[in-house]
Amino acid sequence: MSRNAKINALLLLAVAALAVLPLALGLGDHKEEPFAGADAEAETAITEIEPEYEPWFSPLYEPPSGEVESALFALQAAIGAGVLAYYFGLRRGRRQGAERATAAAAAVRDAPEGD
């Protein structure tokens, strides 16, 4: 197994552990919504500290349900992943093209003089 394959396997294992351990250890079982987002946690903390707090502004678009909000968040994450994958693929393709061009130029340069 190559060094890169080992690193990739370890990274995959770490991501799987980050996803499974909170569920397996029962973190958040004492809460009504155990895995609510940071926004909901912040809103709860703010209202506990200052019940009279008024937000500075309201959202431009309020999704009709939590499912739609989750779907929009997943779509945003997918678009971001696609942009990153495109960028890294483009860089790799350019690097491989440059390597092939360099190899072709070296082959032409080192070729014996012919007819």
Side-chain angles (χ1 to χ4, degrees), residues 34-72:
F35 298 106
D39 292 345
E41 293 288 331
E43 185 178 344
T44 303
I46 289 170
T47 53
E48 285 177 5
I49 294 170
E50 182 63 47
E52 302 298 319
Y53 177 76
E54 289 292 325
W56 295 353
F57 57 90
S58 61
L60 298 175
Y61 172 71
E62 187 72 35
S65 69
E67 291 83 10
V68 173
E69 187 175 358
S70 294
L72 290 173

Side-chain angles (χ1 to χ4, degrees), residues 2-89:
S2 72
R3 182 174 185 262
N4 285 340
K6 288 179 185 178
I7 291 172
N8 288 341
L10 286 173
L11 288 173
L12 186 61
L13 183 64
V15 168
L18 285 173
V20 172
L21 282 176
L23 298 172
L25 297 176
L27 300 176
D29 284 346
H30 61 284
K31 297 180 180 179
E32 185 176 322
E33 292 185 38
F35 298 106
D39 292 345
E41 293 288 331
E43 185 178 344
T44 303
I46 289 170
T47 53
E48 285 177 5
I49 294 170
E50 182 63 47
E52 302 298 319
Y53 177 76
E54 289 292 325
W56 295 353
F57 57 90
S58 61
L60 298 175
Y61 172 71
E62 187 72 35
S65 69
E67 291 83 10
V68 173
E69 187 175 358
S70 294
L72 290 173
F73 184 75
L75 178 64
Q76 178 185 356
I79 290 171
V83 168
L84 283 175
Y86 175 78
Y87 171 74
F88 286 120

Side-chain angles (χ1 to χ4, degrees), residues 90-103:
L90 185 67
R91 283 196 45 177
R92 180 179 175 138
R94 285 183 178 172
R95 186 179 68 238
Q96 286 176 344
E99 288 171 358
R100 288 182 186 149
T102 303

